[in-house]
Amino acid sequence: GPERLHLLHVDNGMMRKYESRNVLKLFSDLGLDESLHFVDATETFVNALTGVTEPEEKRRIIGDTFIQVFEEKARALGIEDHLLGQGTIYPDTVETGGTKRADTIKTHHNRVDVIQRMISEGKVVEPLAQLYKVEVRELGEKLGIPPEALWRHPFPGPGLGVRLLCSDGEPDTAHFDEIEAVLPDVATRIGLHALALPIRSVGVKADLRSYEHPVLIHGDADWDTLAEASGTVFKTVGGINRTLWNLAGTMPTTFRPLAATMTRERLDLLRECDHLMMEGLRRHDLYGEIWQCPTVLVPVEIDGKGSELCILRPIHSERAMTATAARLPLELLGELRASITALPGISGLAYDLTSKPPGTIEWE
Ligand code: XMP
């Protein structure tokens, strides 16, 4: 039986800036120092992911590596017959196909094969698995969990590893003929420039994962016009699952996808962009109004410069099953343009205008 509770905090190198420190402080404030073990496993995770581009494979590797680190640490501490406690919530099981519908939207880290096996052996405890995030927060209020933990934005277990897109560098122009046959007309009609990007990212269509192209739109417009433009693009152009608003000064013309997989340096750059975004939300007192805000890096050179396109994805949502793009103040966007585009390697900056569906909250 669980004579003693051990808390293992594994830093997989994909956490937000200062997050590891915050987690350790939280448990220490709760008086749980004695039970807490910390492992910095950045190198193990990055090594396991070197050369891997496919998002679902990345997820499986991250999940498996976590269990490997967990088991190693348990052995080192001489703990046997232990149970794994996970904060799995209801959508995690739905999206991994854990309900009657066998479709997989994505494999959550807490639902990889090795964990499914541990579940069937009765080795996993998941007290929140029937609850949505809102209900978890209600419960947390009742239990007196500190607000900064309770109201922290949802953050995927595989962390920035999901948001750091990986590519073999081959331009992906599937369906470009059909897209380019109609997109220029649509752009003229909405009075903005529009360009399909030679990459694909995940979205959701009829409850299934689908990979399609983003369209970048450019021009001065208010939020209503941008939302309308985004809707028009989806209605009129096939093969598209996201519209992005260009935040860089001019409309780019050439996009060259680059070969890139997981590295410490890329993770650090994403962590810095993400930190600037999060700090911006707090500075403008918007953190609590936004459900979550992924920051994403896509390895593309733009107009012969840089190597990472940065995408901001602030959203409103109730349960993460659907979402709409939030409308951040232009002043904040100006500040982010200045700070993020000044980081070495950043080739461009864009704002995701897409609802879920057809996009997902995360990019992969
Ligand atoms: P999507 O991108 O499918 O995300 O619209 C829905 C919600 O799930 C979160 N998410 C995860 N959470 N482990 C988690 O704990 C994961 O592997 C994972 N993947 C996505 C995502 O941030 C959003 O809130």
Side-chain angles (χ1 to χ4, degrees), residues 59 95 106 108-109 154 156-158 291-292 320 356 360-362:
R59 283 178 169 279
E95 293 185 331
K106 62 177 167 291
H108 278 256
H109 66 291
W291 168 266
Q292 74 185 111
K356 173 185 178 177
T360 43
I361 294 175
E362 303 290 343

Side-chain angles (χ1 to χ4, degrees), residues 307-329:
S307 53
E308 307 279 358
L309 166 64
C310 178
I311 293 153
L312 311 174
R313 173 121 177 90
I315 54 140
H316 294 300
S317 179
E318 300 263 324
R319 309 191 150 199
M321 305 301 271
T322 58
T324 53
R327 301 174 171 195
L328 296 184

Side-chain angles (χ1 to χ4, degrees), residues 192-233:
L192 297 163
H193 301 281
L195 201 67
L197 304 190
I199 56 162
R200 286 191 293 165
S201 82
V202 76
V204 57
K205 254 195 186 161
D207 281 352
L208 280 178
R209 233 177 137 77
S210 65
Y211 292 89
E212 292 181 304
H213 299 284
V215 158
L216 184 74
I217 59 179
H218 176 88
D220 276 336
D222 60 25
W223 287 114
D224 284 340
T225 310
L226 289 169
E228 211 180 306
S230 174
T232 307
V233 169

Side-chain angles (χ1 to χ4, degrees), residues 3-34:
E3 282 91 33
R4 174 140 180 238
L5 176 70
H6 288 273
L7 293 160
L8 175 61
H9 170 47
V10 177
D11 188 335
N12 58 10
M14 301 168 197
M15 303 182 70
R16 299 201 135 124
K17 198 168 178 181
Y18 306 133
E19 189 69 359
S20 222
R21 193 185 72 185
N22 293 342
V23 170
L24 295 173
K25 180 173 179 305
L26 174 74
F27 284 113
S28 146
D29 288 351
L30 290 167
L32 293 165
D33 304 64
E34 289 263 307

